[in-house]
Amino acid sequence: MGKRIIFPDEQLPSPPNKRPKLEDDPVKANAKLINSAKDLQQLLVFQQDATSVLRQNIQTFKNFLDSILYGDQSCDRPANLSILLDYLRSTLPGSGNTSSVPLKDIIQTWSFAAQSNNDGLLSAVPAVLALLLRTISTSIDFRECGVQLCHALLQREQIRLFDRGLTANKSKERLISPCLRLLNEITTFDGGSSARKVYQQRDVTFKRLDIFLSISNPSPTAMDGSKTRPSIRSNALQYVLSNLKFQDPATKGDILSQSKLIRAIFNNISEDPRETIFNALDSLKKSVILDSSVRRKYKSMLLSEFALSQIVRLYDYQEAAQSDGGNPTVADVAHGFLLFVCTTIDHGVLVEQDGWYPPGAEILAKNRDIDPLLLPLEQPDTHDKYTSRVSVRNTTLASFMQGLRPWANSYHRVLAVAILSAAPELVADYFFKKKAFSFEPKLSATWIGYSTFLFSSVQLPLPDTRYDSPPPVSIVLESILPQPLNQKILTRCINQKTAIVSFFAVRLLIVAFQKVERLLSLWTTREDKRWTKTGLHLLAGFCQRCPELRYVIGSSRSVSEDHIMLKEALLRLTAMYYKITPQLALNDKYDISSMLVNALKQTQPTQGVTLDHSMQFLELDHLLEIARRSPDMSWWNKPESVLLSPFTTVLRIHVSQLNTRGDTIRNLIWSLIMEYSILQCETSILSLNALVVSLTELDGWKASDALYSFLDNCVLRLVRKSVYYCGELEKMATCVSAGNTGQTTKSSVSLLFVVIMEQWPFLSEICGRAEFANTTEWLSRYFEYSAYIGENAIILRTIKSRILGHSNIDSQEFNQEGTIKTSFLTVLPEEIRQLLQENDIYVHKDDKTGRNAGDQTPVAKSGVLLSHLKPPEEPEDHLGLGRWTNKYILDAVEDGAVGELVLCLSSRHKEIRKQALLSIRVLASKLETSEYVEWQQLHLLLEEVIESARGIIVTKQFPSVAGVIATRAVMVLNDPLHFMYSKVNKFLNKSPNWEIAKLPSYWVDKVCLNPPADDDTHQREVQWVLDTLIDGLRTEEVIPKNVWVPQTDMSIGHGTLSEVQHL
């Protein structure tokens, strides 16, 4: 039989209506009849044979309490409070009744319900008692009644009733929750006056709390967003929090030491309602973490790794309803709580640590005076000890951080960076353990998040160095360039075609370079040599992780002009290579002369300054830094298509931008002038000021292109033939002195004048009359300004006279077009004098003359006086005698321990020299049985040192020049790829006994007068020899006075060494 078809126009019968709710509810009706305390006594009287009536009366009493606690204005709350107070006082013992406990009828009803297993009454009675205590807790008049009631409920008979409810099956929430609420009210009543008695009955009052806390909430909120009835877990959690708030410190510690209970608190916290989470975290913060009376170990028990990981899960908490914009979210509150507890030492999680020093460093530091050889960097395996793992004090945070996902969640990233900042020792530990996550370049959200985290980690501030010994290099290196940022990965990132990937990698490297620079600047100021050695080891490890400069250069050349930020970042990184790691930068040739000239032209003053123009200024600063430090910069090469050389171009643009952006350019120009001796540096006012001001536009005069071309030609000739022009100036000074009644005349005149004097006769042949007049006006001004700043006026007059004598233009015509005055003005105009003095401020005080104020001694081309190069003093402790014994042969060679032993032969103490010779013999014998690869060459070197020194040290010091040569030869023999390796081996095969008096001349001849081992190593070989000879000036009797080093013209780098001193 089919279903009956319902037609559209057919009306269905309406369903029967439910029974309407009675308006006169008996419970509400009885509540309205409570007008006095006597009515309450009659209502709550115990009736054993009327269970339903008892339950109804309990409900009526509950409604009465609700009207007091939650009632609206229509309820007469003061009157109801007065009725309740009279009733409670009437039930107190000694108030005219024979009862021994207050509220005897209600407690008797509860006992009857437990005996008869009436779940309804078992649930209603403790619920109404809890509501009663909450109601009266707000009024001081009820204090005595409430305290007596709390004490009565904690007596043995009533404790059994609590036990009956708390031991019920966990599915019977209606029996368990009222008991928990009642215990909570007893604990909190009157400021926790009964809390201690509650904990004294902990066998019952704390029974099964861990089980109750483990019961997850079915749903934090109702489907419509309204609040639901608190669950068992919510009631149990509130009860525990109340105890942590009102118990004494000893009791709090006892509660916090219950691991199951504490673990259950956080186990399901992500499923709790929003308000419960806020209350729990706030209560734990105020009652435990900020309570100074609670011992730290109990705080640590509360905030275990498990607890922290459960709180982290709140970052993904799903809000049931959209909260107002001003209200914090659960994730915000959890994040603030974790930051609060994880970054402060007194809060139980963070343990005091020593930054980059592993545990045990303080013991080594204390033992420094006993045995300095026990300090970290003096051990043979100190640099490789912490390559894969490191011990830390903050083990809880170390394990907790491994579970964070900083690449996927911004809260995780901020928290991880904050922890690493508070505990720097965790940086190395974190990245040692995070080897699974690769930094392979991929344009994904995960890669960008991970790169952001790495950038923040590298950007962390430097921790304090608490001890006199430096920290291990491997730990420091992980804080600068972590293991995920190795050379291979960084190279691939820089070469990526995606601009954002390259930009992230470049920014990471820039921050790492800046951190290394700050660190080395701090370490180099320490007097202890170990800090300097550690800095060298750190720099070597850092270079191994950095990509080669050629990849950075290639990326900067291929980057599009549209990516201005990436282009600027690549130039900044290149400049840092030259500044911080020149050993990497000098491996690749990079001529930026054309780039620098173009950048200077693009930064000419415009009407407005745009973003592109600002970026061009930044790029210019980086190019100037590179040009200042790069040996491949072609300052003096002038292509055919270019009017001026890079140097003169920079000078011309500096003159045009004198009052805008001249400080960096000016320092660069002055460094080149000092290096190549173009101008003198003996006057108090810089000679560069006179040149720049003479070229400045003034009174309608402006330097022409022909003038700059002539100046450029003079400068290029001076650089190529500086020795010749130095000789001409000395001859001129000698002639002037001879004509000046035999008095010596200082040749404090710039060499540029000598070149101008030589080239002046050819000027009229290559330029017109107007250009010649322009150049003549400039030269006249240049003479005047140079005389004003203090250059030798007699020599300047002589040069002027020779210029006038060699002029090819008729004297009368010459005076009409442009006159060079034969005498100098005694007083220059105020405007000119101000320019000459003001422009001096742009030069850094250390770059000005390289000498102290008032010192008139000529300065060397490097800007450093040789007289200021003081040799190192002989150490008093002579640690070099035994330091090599605690090391492997390879480590002893690389750390310089063998070299220090050899230098002990030059000690002024005879006993030290004898002991050093004996130790060298022992070391030579050990080499024969060692696994050192280059032992044969080192053994030969030591034997020759022994043979050369044994006849000398008995009566006097072994000449330090020989000791320094041997020391440096040890380092050369350790590296077969060293540029001096072949020449050192030829020297060792020359003779078993050294002729010490001929050592300087031998090395100068073999290096300076012979071709280098490779085509591009001549400059480095010369520098090696000069450094060795200067370092050998330690003992008083260095070389016999009848030995001369041949005078040779040698090119060092881009400079010229005009003479070699008699040593």
Side-chain angles (χ1 to χ4, degrees):
M1 181 177 179
K3 291 185 178 180
R4 175 175 174 271
I5 299 175
I6 301 176
F7 296 97
D9 56 348
E10 183 179 1
Q11 295 183 357
L12 296 177
S14 59
N17 296 327
K18 294 182 179 180
R19 182 178 67 87
K21 192 174 183 179
L22 297 177
E23 294 181 1
D24 296 333
D25 189 31
V27 175
K28 291 185 177 181
N30 291 336
K32 295 178 181 179
L33 297 177
I34 300 176
N35 297 319
S36 63
K38 187 175 182 180
D39 294 339
L40 278 177
Q41 290 177 354
Q42 294 176 356
L43 180 67
L44 299 176
V45 66
F46 174 66
Q47 302 177 23
Q48 185 173 354
D49 54 347
T51 306
S52 59
V53 176
L54 285 176
R55 185 174 179 183
Q56 181 178 347
N57 292 341
I58 294 294
Q59 184 63 34
T60 302
F61 184 47
K62 178 181 178 299
N63 293 337
F64 176 74
L65 296 175
D66 285 336
S67 65
I68 298 175
L69 189 61
Y70 307 111
D72 53 14
Q73 296 180 355
S74 61
C75 300
D76 192 359
R77 188 171 182 275
N80 290 339
L81 282 174
S82 178
I83 294 173
L84 181 61
L85 180 60
D86 293 341
Y87 167 70
L88 291 177
R89 287 177 176 175
S90 65
T91 62
L92 294 178
S95 301
N97 55 34
T98 59
S99 174
S100 59
V101 295
L103 298 180
K104 177 182 178 181
D105 291 330
I106 298 179
I107 295 177
Q108 191 174 1
T109 302
W110 191 9
S111 178
F112 169 73
Q115 295 174 5
S116 60
N117 293 325
N118 190 328
D119 292 347
L121 283 177
L122 273 177
S123 173
V125 174
V128 77
L129 289 175
L131 182 61
L132 174 62
L133 287 175
R134 177 177 295 183
T135 303
I136 65 178
S137 63
T138 58
S139 178
I140 190 65
D141 296 333
F142 291 88
R143 180 183 178 277
E144 182 181 356
C145 300
V147 170
Q148 292 193 30
L149 177 59
C150 292
H151 292 174
L153 292 174
L154 294 176
Q155 293 178 4
R156 181 180 300 177
E157 292 78 7
Q158 285 65 252
I159 288 295
R160 293 176 181 175
L161 300 179
F162 280 109
D163 184 63
R164 174 66 175 82
L166 296 177
T167 55
N169 193 301
K170 63 180 182 180
S171 61
K172 293 186 177 182
E173 180 181 356
R174 58 181 300 186
L175 298 181
I176 301 173
S177 291
C179 293
L180 293 174
R181 292 200 301 270
L182 179 55
L183 287 173
N184 181 61
E185 295 299 332
I186 295 173
T187 304
T188 60
F189 189 82
D190 191 27
S193 60
S194 303
R196 182 173 180 81
K197 292 187 177 181
V198 172
Y199 192 72
Q200 288 175 351
Q201 303 290 339
R202 55 184 174 276
D203 292 341
V204 175
T205 56
F206 272 69
K207 181 180 290 187
R208 301 179 68 198
L209 275 182
D210 55 336
I211 298 177
F212 299 151
L213 290 169
S214 300
I215 301 175
S216 59
N217 286 309
S219 61
T221 54
M223 296 301 296
D224 58 354
S226 60
K227 296 181 180 180
T228 60
R229 179 181 299 176
S231 63
I232 296 179
R233 171 177 165 81
S234 298
N235 290 319
L237 181 59
Q238 184 59 48
Y239 173 50
V240 174
L241 295 176
S242 298
N243 277 275
L244 291 176
K245 179 179 181 180
F246 293 105
Q247 297 291 354
D248 57 87
T251 305
K252 287 183 181 181
D254 194 16
I255 297 174
L256 294 172
S257 62
Q258 301 178 28
S259 58
K260 290 184 178 180
L261 177 63
I262 300 303
R263 184 182 180 89
I265 291 177
F266 298 100
N267 192 20
N268 296 314
I269 193 171
S270 60
E271 300 178 2
D272 288 336
R274 170 190 172 94
E275 291 76 12
T276 302
I277 295 173
F278 286 0
N279 180 45
L281 296 180
D282 185 66
S283 297
L284 291 175
K285 178 179 178 180
K286 294 179 179 178
S287 304
V288 179
I289 299 172
L290 292 178
D291 190 353
S292 58
S293 62
V294 178
R295 298 176 61 182
R296 190 190 184 282
K297 71 172 185 178
Y298 296 128
K299 297 179 183 180
S300 301
M301 292 178 181
L302 172 68
L303 300 172
S304 61
E305 177 191 350
F306 175 80
L308 298 176
S309 62
Q310 291 299 312
I311 298 176
V312 166
R313 295 179 60 186
L314 296 177
Y315 288 162
D316 302 323
Y317 187 85
Q318 299 295 329
E319 302 282 353
Q322 295 294 333
S323 59
D324 298 337
N327 295 330
T329 62
V330 173
D332 294 334
V333 174
H335 183 62
F337 180 83
L338 288 174
L339 287 176
F340 181 75
V341 300
C342 294
T343 58
T344 307
I345 294 178
D346 298 332
H347 295 168
V349 181
L350 182 64
V351 180
E352 187 175 2
Q353 37 83 45
D354 295 328
W356 288 335
Y357 294 89
E362 66 279 3
I363 299 177
L364 295 174
K366 292 178 181 178
N367 295 334
R368 183 185 181 192
D369 297 334
I370 301 175
D371 189 359
L373 299 177
L374 294 177
L375 288 168
L377 287 183
E378 301 297 333
Q379 299 176 0
D381 58 342
T382 181
H383 306 296
D384 299 328
K385 184 177 181 180
Y386 302 105
T387 55
S388 59
R389 63 181 300 273
V390 59
S391 301
V392 295
R393 293 178 175 85
N394 289 278
T395 55
T396 300
L397 286 176
S399 302
F400 167 64
M401 283 197 61
Q402 295 300 317
L404 297 179
R405 297 182 301 121
W407 55 85
N409 190 296
S410 60
Y411 285 115
H412 286 234
R413 181 175 66 252
V414 175
L415 177 61
V417 173
I419 293 175
L420 294 179
S421 178
E425 68 167 0
L426 297 178
V427 178
D429 176 78
Y430 178 81
F431 288 109
F432 281 154
K433 297 176 181 178
K434 275 291 180 184
K435 296 181 179 179
F437 199 96
S438 174
F439 195 63
E440 289 288 342
K442 298 177 183 178
L443 188 57
S444 61
T446 301
W447 187 89
I448 293 176
Y450 193 46
S451 61
T452 305
F453 168 66
L454 287 174
F455 180 83
S456 302
S457 302
V458 175
Q459 210 175 17
L460 292 174
L462 300 177
D464 297 333
T465 53
R466 302 188 177 186
Y467 304 113
D468 295 334
S469 59
V473 174
S474 55
I475 295 179
V476 179
L477 190 58
E478 289 301 314
S479 300
I480 298 175
L481 271 184
Q483 285 188 354
L485 301 177
N486 55 45
Q487 189 180 57
K488 179 181 177 181
I489 296 298
L490 288 173
T491 303
R492 293 186 59 186
C493 292
I494 290 177
N495 293 332
Q496 283 289 311
K497 295 182 180 180
T498 308
I500 189 173
V501 175
S502 300
F503 184 73
F504 268 107
V506 172
R507 287 294 299 158
L508 270 171
L509 284 171
I510 289 174
V511 175
F513 270 96
Q514 292 173 345
K515 196 169 186 178
V516 168
E517 183 181 16
R518 294 196 305 270
L519 191 62
L520 293 179
S521 63
L522 293 176
W523 287 6
T524 53
T525 58
R526 298 292 189 105
E527 296 180 357
D528 197 336
K529 294 181 179 180
R530 291 173 299 172
W531 290 92
T532 304
K533 292 182 180 180
T534 305
L536 295 176
H537 287 296
L538 174 65
L539 201 58
F542 180 75
C543 292
Q544 292 177 358
R545 297 194 182 185
C546 290
E548 297 180 10
L549 180 60
R550 57 192 176 97
Y551 296 109
V552 181
I553 296 173
S555 180
S556 63
R557 289 173 176 171
S558 62
V559 68
S560 174
E561 294 294 336
D562 298 334
H563 299 140
I564 56 176
M565 296 186 66
L566 177 58
K567 184 179 178 182
E568 184 273 334
L570 286 168
L571 286 177
R572 182 191 294 267
L573 179 60
T574 305
M576 288 184 173
Y577 267 93
Y578 280 96
K579 182 179 180 181
I580 302 172
T581 58
Q583 60 270 40
L584 283 181
L586 297 179
N587 291 334
D588 301 302
K589 295 183 178 180
Y590 188 32
D591 185 8
I592 62 164
S593 55
S594 59
M595 293 179 59
L596 179 60
V597 172
N598 293 333
L600 287 168
K601 292 179 180 179
Q602 292 175 1
T603 53
Q604 292 290 344
T606 58
Q607 296 296 331
V609 179
T610 62
L611 175 61
D612 293 346
H613 203 66
S614 300
M615 296 299 293
Q616 288 172 358
F617 276 119
L618 290 177
E619 293 177 10
L620 175 61
D621 289 340
H622 307 327
L623 289 172
L624 291 173
E625 183 68 25
I626 297 171
R628 180 182 178 184
R629 301 177 183 274
S630 174
D632 302 313
M633 179 65 186
S634 302
W635 288 106
W636 319 111
N637 293 342
K638 184 175 67 172
E640 295 180 358
S641 59
V642 180
L643 178 63
L644 303 174
S645 66
F647 171 81
T648 311
T649 303
V650 173
L651 176 63
R652 184 174 188 176
I653 294 177
H654 170 61
V655 172
S656 64
Q657 299 180 0
L658 187 60
N659 296 323
T660 56
R661 195 179 182 86
D663 49 354
T664 305
I665 301 177
R666 190 177 183 84
N667 288 335
L668 174 62
I669 295 173
W670 180 247
S671 64
L672 292 172
I673 289 174
M674 290 280 292
E675 184 176 359
Y676 295 97
S677 299
I678 298 173
L679 303 177
Q680 58 84 25
C681 55
E682 301 177 32
T683 56
S684 58
I685 301 178
L686 289 182
S687 55
L688 177 60
N689 292 353
L691 178 61
V692 171
V693 175
S694 67
L695 294 169
T696 305
E697 182 178 356
L698 188 66
D699 296 334
W701 179 89
K702 183 177 181 180
S704 63
D705 293 341
L707 167 58
Y708 277 107
S709 180
F710 172 72
L711 180 62
D712 185 53
N713 178 55
C714 294
V715 171
L716 294 182
R717 287 180 177 274
L718 173 58
V719 170
R720 296 190 184 102
K721 298 171 60 178
S722 60
V723 177
Y724 168 74
Y725 293 113
C726 283
E728 291 296 319
L729 181 60
E730 291 296 332
K731 292 179 183 178
M732 190 178 302
T734 303
C735 294
V736 171
S737 299
N740 193 15
T741 64
Q743 295 181 0
T744 302
T745 302
K746 292 185 178 180
S747 58
S748 57
V749 175
S750 299
L751 287 178
L752 183 60
F753 283 109
V754 182
V755 189
I756 293 174
M757 179 185 66
E758 180 193 63
Q759 296 300 312
W760 186 264
F762 308 101
L763 178 63
S764 60
E765 300 177 2
I766 60 176
C767 64
R769 298 172 61 87
E771 295 170 340
F772 185 81
N774 183 275
T775 307
T776 304
E777 177 65 22
W778 162 75
L779 186 58
S780 177
R781 296 169 61 183
Y782 187 33
F783 273 118
E784 294 287 344
Y785 302 159
S786 299
Y788 173 79
I789 66 173
E791 294 196 22
N792 194 301
I794 301 177
I795 299 179
L796 289 179
R797 291 193 186 97
T798 304
I799 295 175
K800 275 190 175 184
S801 301
R802 294 187 182 184
I803 289 176
L804 291 173
H806 290 88
S807 178
N808 295 330
I809 299 179
D810 182 70
S811 176
Q812 183 178 0
E813 185 179 0
F814 179 81
N815 290 332
Q816 292 176 358
E817 298 294 340
T819 303
I820 302 179
K821 300 175 182 179
T822 57
S823 61
F824 300 119
L825 296 177
T826 57
V827 179
L828 288 177
E830 179 64 25
E831 181 181 3
I832 300 299
R833 287 190 286 118
Q834 185 176 2
L835 282 175
L836 287 173
Q837 296 175 0
E838 285 184 354
N839 291 335
D840 190 44
I841 65 175
Y842 288 103
V843 178
H844 193 273
K845 62 181 180 180
D846 296 334
D847 297 335
K848 187 173 180 179
T849 59
R851 56 188 170 85
N852 296 329
D855 189 1
Q856 300 299 325
T857 307
V859 182
K861 291 179 173 58
S862 62
V864 182
L865 286 174
L866 293 179
S867 60
H868 290 176
L869 295 175
K870 297 181 180 179
E873 298 180 358
E874 181 181 349
E876 297 293 338
D877 47 9
H878 296 93
L879 295 178
L881 289 174
R883 199 163 71 90
W884 65 274
T885 59
N886 295 324
K887 299 176 178 290
Y888 300 117
I889 298 297
L890 177 61
D891 293 337
V893 172
E894 292 180 348
D895 294 348
V898 176
E900 293 179 4
L901 175 61
V902 173
L903 287 178
C904 288
L905 294 173
S906 301
S907 174
R908 60 179 180 271
H909 304 290
K910 182 178 179 180
E911 295 300 327
I912 298 296
R913 299 196 298 267
K914 289 184 177 181
Q915 189 176 352
L917 186 63
L918 179 61
S919 298
I920 293 176
R921 292 182 186 274
V922 175
L923 177 59
S925 62
K926 286 186 176 181
L927 283 173
E928 298 179 358
T929 58
S930 68
E931 298 180 356
Y932 183 54
V933 178
E934 305 293 335
W935 73 271
Q936 293 180 342
Q937 291 90 331
L938 182 58
H939 182 271
L940 178 61
L941 172 64
L942 295 180
E943 289 293 342
E944 292 185 7
V945 170
I946 294 171
E947 189 68 22
S948 304
R950 64 179 183 177
I952 299 176
I953 64 173
V954 178
T955 58
K956 59 182 179 180
Q957 298 173 256
F958 188 59
S960 59
V961 66
V964 171
I965 290 175
T967 300
R968 293 177 178 261
V970 170
M971 304 303 295
V972 172
L973 295 176
N974 186 55
D975 183 11
L977 298 179
H978 199 279
F979 55 86
M980 292 294 294
Y981 188 79
S982 61
K983 293 189 176 182
V984 169
N985 279 280
K986 290 180 182 178
F987 169 72
L988 295 179
N989 294 329
K990 180 176 176 292
S991 173
N993 192 359
W994 296 353
E995 296 184 33
I996 298 176
K998 296 183 179 180
L999 285 179
S1001 59
Y1002 170 84
W1003 283 106
V1004 171
D1005 176 71
K1006 293 299 181 183
V1007 173
C1008 301
L1009 303 180
N1010 285 275
D1014 295 325
D1015 295 337
D1016 57 346
T1017 60
H1018 177 69
Q1019 297 173 3
R1020 288 188 288 172
E1021 290 182 6
V1022 172
Q1023 188 66 45
W1024 186 88
V1025 170
L1026 292 179
D1027 290 342
T1028 303
L1029 295 179
I1030 292 175
D1031 193 20
L1033 302 175
R1034 301 190 182 201
T1035 55
E1036 295 181 359
E1037 187 177 355
V1038 180
I1039 303 173
K1041 295 183 179 181
N1042 58 350
V1043 177
W1044 288 77
V1045 178
Q1047 182 173 355
T1048 309
D1049 295 335
M1050 296 179 293
S1051 175
I1052 301 177
H1054 292 278
T1056 302
L1057 183 64
S1058 59
E1059 56 181 316
V1060 179
Q1061 302 287 347
H1062 170 230
L1063 299 178

